[in-house]
Amino acid sequence: MKRDTTAEDTQHGTFSEPSSGGNNLLGALRPADFALLRGALRRLDRPAGAVLYEPGDDVRHVYFPCGPTLVSFMVLLADGRPVEVTTIGREGAVGGIVSQGRLPAYARAVVQLGGPLLRLDTAELERAKDASPALQHLFARYADCLLAQVFQSVACNAAHSIEQRTAKWLIAALDRTGEDSVRLTQEQLAAMLAVGRSYISRVIQQLRDSGAVEPKRGRLNIRDAQRLRSMSCGCHGVVRRHFDDVLGGVYPTGNEVAGGGSIITNGPSFRP
C-alpha cells in the first residue's frame, strides 16, 4: 500500500482545485468561513487500499472524504493484524482537526471505498481557525462526535456478534455513500472485523438467505435495508443521533445522493 504524496498527485494529474464532490462538514460552514479554506483545498482521487497515514507518520494534511469515499482508521495489533476502530465518510475529516498538526499518527488511515477527497495542509487549517472562532468551534464539535464514534465502536466490538457488526457496517456504508451497492470484498470486510475469511463467508450467506444482501464479485448489493437494519445492533443509530445533537445536518441521512456536484457552501450553516 502506498502513502499519499504530493509528488504522486502532480505526476499523475490528480492534483487540482476542488471542483466536484461534496463533504458535509465543509458544507456546514458559513460561506465566509469556507472562503478561508477554499484556496488551500486540493482535490484528490484515491483508490481503495490507498494509505493516507501509517502509525508514526507526521500528520501534515487533513483529508475530507467526498461523495462515496470512506476512510478507516486501523489499529495494528502486536502480530501485525490491522483492526478497524472507526470509519469516516463525507460527514467528517481525517487528520489534525483540533491539534496543532504535524503530530505522529497513532493508527493507519486507509481508503476503504475509493473516490474523491479534499486535502488541506494542517498549517492552513490552523491559520483559518485563528481567523474564525466559528470554524474552530465546528471542528472541535466534530472531534467530539468522532470520539463518541470511537467509544461506541469499542463497546460494539466487545458486546455484539460478528453478524450484528457486519450488518451495522453495511448500513453505515449505505447511509454515508447513498449507494446500495458497496464496493467491498469479503476479504476486506473480514480484515476490518478481525475475523477469518471463512467466518465472514458464512455471515454473508446468512444475510443473503435472509434477503438482506446479494454478494457479487468485488461488492455487496443491499437488497433490503430495513431487514439489514433489524439484523444489526443499534450502535450506528446511536452515533447518528449524537451527530444530530452536536452537528445537526452533517451526518448523511441515507437518502442523499453522494455523487458528484459542487461543494456545498450554502447549506445548514454552523452556528457556534
Side-chain angles (χ1 to χ4, degrees):
M1 290 184 289
K2 189 172 184 178
R3 290 188 184 87
D4 177 71
T5 63
T6 301
E8 179 190 6
D9 300 331
T10 304
Q11 180 181 355
H12 290 84
T14 60
F15 188 75
S16 62
E17 293 291 336
S19 58
S20 64
N23 176 275
N24 292 4
L25 188 62
L26 291 177
L29 288 170
R30 292 175 290 196
D33 290 325
F34 183 75
L36 296 173
L37 304 177
R38 181 189 290 275
L41 288 167
R42 295 294 181 269
R43 183 184 185 277
L44 314 172
D45 288 282
R46 288 291 176 264
V51 174
L52 305 182
Y53 305 117
E54 288 283 9
D57 285 352
D58 284 345
V59 178
R60 297 175 180 272
H61 299 100
V62 179
Y63 296 85
F64 300 90
C66 299
T69 308
L70 291 181
V71 177
S72 291
F73 280 127
M74 312 290 288
V75 170
L76 304 184
L77 303 181
D79 60 5
R81 285 181 300 152
V83 178
E84 185 191 62
V85 291
T86 195
T87 301
I88 298 168
R90 55 197 166 113
E91 80 287 350
V94 178
I97 297 300
V98 294
S99 71
Q100 296 302 310
R102 302 209 174 190
L103 297 176
Y106 182 78
R108 173 183 292 164
V110 59
V111 177
Q112 291 293 353
L113 299 187
L117 305 99
L118 296 177
R119 190 174 72 184
L120 177 69
D121 190 277
T122 54
E124 295 292 340
L125 177 59
E126 290 306 313
R127 281 192 282 270
K129 289 196 295 186
D130 287 342
S132 171
L135 192 150
Q136 188 174 54
H137 293 163
L138 172 73
F139 288 125
R141 291 194 182 196
Y142 171 67
D144 173 89
C145 290
L146 182 59
L147 184 59
Q149 188 175 336
V150 173
F151 284 167
Q152 195 68 36
S153 177
V154 171
C156 182
N157 291 345
H160 297 138
S161 68
I162 299 299
E163 291 80 5
Q164 290 174 309
R165 291 165 54 198
T166 300
K168 179 201 71 172
W169 202 99
L170 293 173
I171 285 297
L174 172 65
D175 283 355
R176 287 188 174 106
T177 66
E179 298 179 351
D180 58 10
S181 184
V182 182
R183 293 169 285 122
L184 187 75
T185 66
Q186 294 186 32
E187 288 82 0
Q188 285 177 283
L189 191 56
M192 285 190 293
L193 298 176
V195 297
R197 170 69 169 77
S198 60
Y199 195 138
I200 281 296
S201 293
R202 293 196 298 271
V203 171
I204 295 301
Q205 185 60 49
Q206 291 173 13
L207 296 177
R208 179 179 187 174
D209 292 344
S210 74
V213 304
E214 181 182 359
K216 295 291 186 180
R217 184 175 179 85
R219 64 181 60 240
L220 292 169
N221 295 334
I222 298 175
R223 294 303 186 195
D224 190 333
Q226 287 304 112
R227 183 178 295 274
L228 193 61
R229 288 183 195 276
S230 71
M231 300 174 73
S232 72
C233 56
C235 291
H236 175 59
V238 171
V239 170
R240 280 189 55 177
R241 287 193 293 274
H242 188 71
F243 264 84
D244 288 341
D245 288 342
V246 178
L247 285 172
V250 168
Y251 203 95
T253 65
N255 299 318
E256 303 170 23
V257 177
S262 300
I263 297 171
I264 303 169
T265 59
N266 58 352
S269 298
F270 171 74
R271 294 292 184 269

